[in-house]
Amino acid sequence: MSNCIVEENKRMSLNSQLTWQDRLGSLRVYLGILRDNYQVQAGLYSLGNPSEDAPVLVTANYKLTVDVLRAALQGRNLWILVLDTKGVNVWCAAGKGTFSTQAVIQAIEENNLQEVLTSRLIILPQLAATGVAAHAVQQATGFKTIFGPVKAADLSEFLDRGNHKTAEESKITFTLSERFLVSLADLKNTLRDMLVVFGLMFCLNMLKQDIFQTRDAGAYFLAIITGSIITPLLLPYIPVAAFSLKGWFLGVVLMLGYLKLLGMDLSALFLAYLLIFPAISAYYALNYTGSSTYTSLSGVEKETRLAIPWLILSLVCGIVIFVLVKGVG
């Protein structure tokens, strides 16, 4: 075994201590700001001072993923093999095919792991299991491939137990705080949409006074918040299965409460509100389907295909009624 090769690979190293720039970058990504190009260079990295028989962990080159991994391994001497997943996290990359059997094989070969390591063992994140066939990697490279725990936070205990994973460490959680963080990631797009709609309302009011009133802006704001934040937070408790229906159901309930608070009587305008704003809530809730542990790719595609037409129909009917009411008024 060549020590020169080991030393050469140590030139690409990671520190388990996160800097304030790392934390600021993580916050930026959670808020959905410039998250599409948040990645690190693919390759073999050393963490600490690993030897030739140190464990090798494989991950994606999404920087937030790398940061979470290295922060969870403080005091460890390991190798981290970072795949080029085009800046996409492990789970999504496995679904999209960039964290795949071939990608792992190619990374092992390109980084000369056969010459760097003696252990012949690599540890993959469990969330990559949908894209990687462990036996195929072993057949092609000679490296035994095992899947680690779901969460990076459990890796230290997993390693201390001799690479043994408990049943709890195999479970995927989706707690209230985790759902909230995911909903924040789309905040940028939500705010952009709100600014566009509020700007359009203002411009139309300049052309014809009082087309839109404060209650209209309030209803739109409530619909957005319902679909993009409240529905994800209450996801397990809304008594329907489809995400669009969850958003629509909650949108109707909250909109009825809003209209009652305004003291609005049953009327054509009342109907227009119930056609327009719950449909908006349903649309934003539908966007959440690809970000949860409750859905599959085929399920997301099926619901999108079924939901979009009726959401458009509801929205168009509501807008037509709204315009007619305002025109008559």
Side-chain angles (χ1 to χ4, degrees):
M1 181 65 61
S2 172
N3 289 328
C4 292
I5 294 174
V6 175
E7 292 303 321
E8 180 182 349
N9 278 280
K10 287 183 182 179
R11 294 172 193 168
M12 289 182 62
S13 61
L14 293 171
N15 193 322
S16 60
Q17 297 292 332
L18 300 183
T19 66
W20 68 267
Q21 292 97 331
D22 294 324
R23 298 185 187 282
L24 183 62
S26 298
L27 177 61
R28 172 171 62 80
V29 169
Y30 278 128
L31 294 177
I33 303 172
L34 301 176
R35 63 176 175 174
D36 294 334
N37 189 28
Y38 196 58
Q39 54 187 285
V40 301
Q41 179 184 345
L44 181 64
Y45 291 80
S46 61
L47 184 71
N49 187 36
S51 61
E52 298 170 356
D53 60 352
V56 179
L57 305 180
V58 185
T59 191
N61 74 328
Y62 182 40
K63 187 177 184 302
L64 187 59
T65 299
V66 175
D67 287 350
V68 170
L69 177 62
R70 63 192 176 98
L73 295 169
Q74 292 188 25
R76 296 282 175 175
N77 298 310
L78 303 163
W79 298 99
I80 296 180
L81 181 62
V82 179
L83 304 188
D84 181 8
T85 59
K86 313 304 178 187
V88 177
N89 66 70
V90 171
W91 199 358
C92 294
K96 292 182 177 181
T98 52
F99 200 126
S100 63
T101 303
Q102 186 54 44
V104 175
I105 294 171
Q106 183 176 339
I108 290 173
E109 294 175 347
E110 289 181 349
N111 290 281
N112 300 313
L113 260 64
Q114 294 89 343
E115 300 178 52
V116 175
L117 302 177
T118 59
S119 65
R120 291 295 186 271
L121 171 68
I122 63 173
I123 301 170
L124 292 168
Q126 181 177 306
L127 294 182
T130 55
V132 181
H135 68 280
V137 174
Q138 184 168 357
Q139 290 175 358
T141 65
F143 281 87
K144 181 181 178 182
T145 304
I146 62 174
F147 291 100
V150 169
K151 295 183 178 179
D154 294 325
L155 272 168
S156 284
E157 292 186 6
F158 167 81
L159 293 168
D160 288 340
R161 290 193 297 266
N163 305 327
H164 173 69
K165 182 169 54 176
T166 66
E168 285 299 315
E169 290 171 353
S170 299
K171 293 180 180 178
I172 300 174
T173 62
F174 204 36
T175 62
L176 180 67
S177 60
E178 290 168 340
R179 295 196 299 276
F180 180 67
L181 285 175
V182 173
S183 69
L184 283 184
D186 203 38
L187 188 61
K188 177 190 69 172
N189 294 333
T190 304
L191 292 176
R192 179 199 62 203
D193 295 346
M194 289 175 63
L195 288 174
V196 170
V197 172
F198 285 145
L200 183 60
M201 286 181 174
F202 177 80
C203 292
L204 290 174
N205 269 5
M206 295 288 288
L207 296 174
K208 187 178 186 299
Q209 191 174 7
D210 291 334
I211 294 179
F212 296 105
Q213 299 176 4
T214 303
R215 67 185 181 190
D216 302 324
Y220 174 70
F221 180 77
L222 177 61
I224 288 280
I225 296 301
T226 299
S228 61
I229 296 180
I230 301 178
T231 300
L233 292 181
L234 300 180
L235 206 61
Y237 312 110
I238 304 173
V240 286
F243 280 49
S244 53
L245 286 178
K246 287 177 184 287
W248 180 84
F249 175 81
L250 196 57
V252 168
V253 171
L254 294 182
M255 189 53 55
L256 285 172
Y258 178 73
L259 297 179
K260 182 176 178 57
L261 186 65
L262 292 177
M264 185 182 292
D265 296 325
L266 289 174
S267 62
L269 187 59
F270 189 100
L271 176 61
Y273 270 65
L274 289 182
L275 286 171
I276 294 172
F277 298 110
I280 293 173
S281 298
Y283 171 75
Y284 280 93
L286 179 63
N287 286 338
Y288 201 74
T289 55
S291 307
S292 80
T293 59
Y294 302 162
T295 55
S296 63
L297 180 59
S298 60
V300 172
E301 292 174 345
K302 180 180 179 181
E303 183 177 352
T304 302
R305 189 169 60 250
L306 294 174
I308 291 298
W310 70 261
L311 291 181
I312 293 175
L313 178 63
S314 179
L315 193 63
V316 169
C317 290
I319 291 173
V320 168
I321 295 173
F322 184 88
V323 170
L324 290 175
V325 170
K326 292 293 181 177
V328 172

